[in-house]
């Protein structure tokens, strides 16, 4: 079986339809070439162009697409995001972000800054 092509977010971003480039979107870390499809899109090309070169997962789900739409999407897959830049785990669940807190700072002190700002 052929290996799955892997792309970085930086590379995906260059496929935003500008300057004649092709149009890629990402859904749950899979990369899709939608260049030929956008003019067939029932809602018109604009909604797809807004997420061209980007992660479309939230917007695609928010539009409440049918299983037909998901079927079409599946056929347009060209690869996946490189493992180290993936946003979803193997079960399709969003990975938790590990937020590094600088030494001496914590969420509480951050809140205090805001509170102080409000009462000042
Ligand atoms: C290749 C990717 C996509 C495919 C194959 C696709 C396919 C479809 C299809 C077949 C429909 C008709 C209704 C249905 O069967 O669900 C539809 C409607 C729609 N799509 Fe997409 N779509 C794609 C991407 C997107 C994206 C990225 C957005 C938003 C950023 C979007 C927004 C919408 C909206 C707003 C509708 C209208 C929903 C309605 O009127 O009920 N679509 N799409």
């Amino acid at each position: 079986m052929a290996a799955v092509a892997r792309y970085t977010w930086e590379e995906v971003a260059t496929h935003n339809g500008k300057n004649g480039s092709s149009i890629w979107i990402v859904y749950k870390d899979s990369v899709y070439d939608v260049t030929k499809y956008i003019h067939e899109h029932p809602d018109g090309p604009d909604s797809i162009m807004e997420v061209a070169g980007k992660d479309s997962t939230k917007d695609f789900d928010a539009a409440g697409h049918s299983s037909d739409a998901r079927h079409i999407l599946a056929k347009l897959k060209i690869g996946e995001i490189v493992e180290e830049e993936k946003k979803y785990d193997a079960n399709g669940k969003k990975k938790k972000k590990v937020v590094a807190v600088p030494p001496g700072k914590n969420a509480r002190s951050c809140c205090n800054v805001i509170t102080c700002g409000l009462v000042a």
Side-chain angles (χ1 to χ4, degrees), residues 25 34 37 41-43 47-48 51 59-60 63 65-66 69 72-73:
I25 62 170
V34 298
Y37 178 74
H41 188 232
D43 189 48
S47 50
I48 299 187
V51 289
D59 300 281
F60 187 91
H65 283 101
S66 64
I72 301 168
L73 182 67

Side-chain angles (χ1 to χ4, degrees), residues 71-100:
H71 204 71
I72 301 168
L73 182 67
K75 286 197 207 152
L76 303 174
K77 183 166 171 175
I78 54 165
E80 287 177 15
I81 293 295
V82 291
E83 212 56 47
E84 55 276 28
E85 293 185 13
K86 281 192 171 178
K87 293 183 180 178
Y88 292 83
D89 64 20
N91 299 317
K93 291 255 180 284
K94 193 142 194 186
K95 287 183 189 172
K96 289 212 170 71
K97 265 195 199 142
V98 180
V99 181

